[in-house]
Amino acid sequence: GKGKSYPRRCSKNGKVERSGELSNSAGRRHHCGRIHFLIMPEISSDKQLSELLGEKESAGGLEIGYYFNLLKRYLWLFLTIVVLATLISLFVALRQPKKYAARAVLQVEAQEQKVLGSDDVQTLRPEAGDYMTTVAESLTSDSFLIRVAKASDLLNDPTFFAPRPDGQPYSDAEIAARMRGLVSASVRKLTRLIDITVTTGNPEQSKLIAATVVREFIRQTLELRMSVARGANDFLREEADKLRA
């Protein structure tokens, strides 16, 4: 005949039981499905990394062994970065053009230059605090650098001033711009010495320009003194003519 249906219920051990008579052939056992949740205890943010990695925290912070293990683990990465940085630096340095520097030292006299031995007519006051700075700045001025370029005959040197296709000469502004980054002058502290440094791609040109800077400075100083002396003589001559009249 027809089979009978029996209500089912779950026992404590998770098996299905029927209330009523069960046949030996058709009896089946079922397990009740259950959903299990795993709740992890909350870990503080400061200790989370060290506890998950099995490290213990000392009273003054993480133990030295923790950092030592990190160093061993990432030592290959550190060495790779160092090697790559060294190789890149060498590659860039080898591709840079060679530069040659020549240095000359200029000593500025400390005595005041006088004209005709008079205390009222004077030209320079080297004891002034800004005098040495003024001299150093004059060595790198555009007018003085143009004078140095012409005196050292650099305008006729094709390696320094390449000839133009149209054959036109370089202007004073272009000459000054070419020379400006090559010559530098600095005053030594607590001295009356000025260091002149010339840097070019040719050692002979560096020596030539450095020597020309010193020579032209001396000539310019002498020309200034002569100009002042001529001006003083002209003034005295005019005053003498006025007295005769």
Side-chain angles (χ1 to χ4, degrees), residues 53-66:
L53 296 177
E55 300 289 345
K56 295 182 179 180
E57 186 178 3
S58 60
L62 296 178
E63 295 180 351
I64 299 178
Y66 171 74

Side-chain angles (χ1 to χ4, degrees), residues 17-236:
E17 297 181 355
R18 298 172 185 241
S19 59
E21 186 179 356
L22 297 176
S23 61
N24 294 333
S25 59
R28 297 180 181 178
R29 295 183 179 179
H30 298 272
H31 292 275
C32 293
R34 295 182 180 179
I35 300 176
H36 301 274
F37 296 93
L38 179 60
I39 301 176
M40 297 294 292
E42 183 179 358
I43 303 176
S44 61
S45 58
D46 296 337
K47 301 180 179 180
Q48 184 175 5
L49 179 60
S50 60
E51 291 182 358
L52 290 177
L53 296 177
E55 300 289 345
K56 295 182 179 180
E57 186 178 3
S58 60
L62 296 178
E63 295 180 351
I64 299 178
Y66 171 74
Y67 296 103
F68 183 72
N69 291 334
L70 287 180
L71 179 61
K72 290 195 302 181
R73 183 179 303 176
Y74 297 105
L75 181 61
W76 64 271
L77 180 60
F78 175 75
L79 294 177
T80 302
I81 295 175
V82 172
V83 172
L84 289 177
T86 304
L87 292 177
I88 293 174
S89 300
L90 290 175
F91 177 77
V92 174
L94 292 176
R95 290 185 60 86
Q96 292 293 329
K98 294 183 179 180
K99 296 293 184 180
Y100 300 91
R103 177 177 294 181
V105 180
L106 183 65
Q107 181 177 355
V108 181
E109 57 185 13
Q111 294 182 354
E112 180 181 357
Q113 301 299 322
K114 298 182 179 180
V115 178
L116 302 179
S118 174
D119 294 336
D120 296 331
V121 183
Q122 301 175 354
T123 57
L124 299 175
R125 295 182 179 273
E127 72 276 5
D130 57 349
Y131 177 76
M132 295 296 296
T133 304
T134 303
V135 174
E137 290 295 329
S138 67
L139 295 175
T140 57
S141 63
D142 289 351
S143 59
F144 185 76
L145 292 177
I146 293 172
R147 175 172 178 159
V148 170
K150 294 179 179 179
S152 57
D153 201 23
L154 292 176
L155 297 177
N156 297 324
D157 188 349
T159 62
F160 199 88
F161 286 101
R164 290 181 168 178
D166 55 2
Q168 295 295 325
Y170 286 88
S171 63
D172 289 347
E174 293 172 334
I175 297 174
R178 178 72 173 89
M179 298 287 295
R180 193 176 298 121
L182 305 180
V183 182
S184 62
S186 60
V187 181
R188 294 187 187 180
K189 293 182 178 179
L190 304 179
T191 67
R192 304 192 67 82
L193 301 177
I194 298 177
D195 291 321
I196 302 170
T197 305
V198 180
T199 305
T200 67
N202 188 321
E204 298 301 327
Q205 287 180 350
S206 298
K207 293 179 182 179
L208 175 62
I209 296 173
T212 306
V213 167
V214 176
R215 184 175 66 250
E216 291 303 315
F217 173 77
I218 295 174
R219 289 182 178 179
Q220 181 176 267
T221 303
L222 294 176
E223 291 173 0
L224 178 61
R225 292 178 181 177
M226 294 176 62
S227 176
V228 173
R230 284 195 297 268
N233 289 333
D234 294 340
F235 173 76
L236 294 177

